[in-house]
Amino acid sequence: MSNQIDALTAFLNDHGLQAAAWQNRRIYLNGYGRDIKAYIDLDDPTAAAAGSYLFFGAALRVFSNADQNGKWRANRAKQIKHSIMLAMAAADEASDGALFGPLGREVCEKWEDVIL
């Protein structure tokens, strides 16, 4: 039986996201530009993956460290986070809810509505 961090990393990679577990603590999402740091924090990454949906106790975090003003960096992070959210929702739909389970996969229509 695999733990949550391994199962979630494998799921994301199988569905087209570039995911890499780091020190059994978080999952980094790559391929969004040098200025972007995108990762998933998990409450208990080494918990067993069976019995719950894969994103349980997880949070998506996205930051930009571009040499721009704060509003520009925040907007860039929101745009990237929105694209990741859409990709994750599509993966969840393709897997009949393995990622989000009963929480669903509703994603806001506009990136401007994303909360960092």
Side-chain angles (χ1 to χ4, degrees):
M1 182 184 322
S2 67
N3 58 29
Q4 184 181 11
I5 195 167
D6 292 338
L8 182 52
T9 302
F11 177 89
L12 294 171
N13 281 315
D14 289 347
H15 288 87
L17 288 99
Q18 297 176 25
W22 177 74
Q23 294 186 355
N24 267 343
R25 293 174 46 198
R26 68 174 45 148
I27 300 169
Y28 278 95
L29 301 171
N30 302 306
Y32 296 99
R34 293 185 324 184
D35 68 305
I36 294 295
K37 183 184 287 188
Y39 58 89
I40 297 170
D41 272 331
L42 298 118
D43 289 343
D44 188 5
T46 58
S52 66
Y53 52 98
L54 293 174
F55 207 73
F56 179 76
L60 174 62
R61 312 273 189 226
V62 180
F63 304 95
S64 172
N65 64 0
D67 188 17
Q68 298 287 336
N69 67 46
K71 185 173 181 167
W72 189 96
R73 288 191 308 267
N75 285 340
R76 170 106 164 107
K78 284 182 175 189
Q79 291 168 357
I80 298 300
K81 188 172 186 178
H82 189 250
S83 70
I84 294 170
M85 291 165 60
L86 290 172
M88 290 173 69
D92 187 52
E93 188 172 338
S95 66
D96 293 326
L99 189 60
F100 299 122
L103 291 180
R105 52 192 166 267
E106 293 296 321
V107 177
C108 52
E109 289 185 29
K110 300 184 296 185
W111 65 265
E112 293 92 347
D113 296 333
V114 170
I115 297 172
L116 291 177

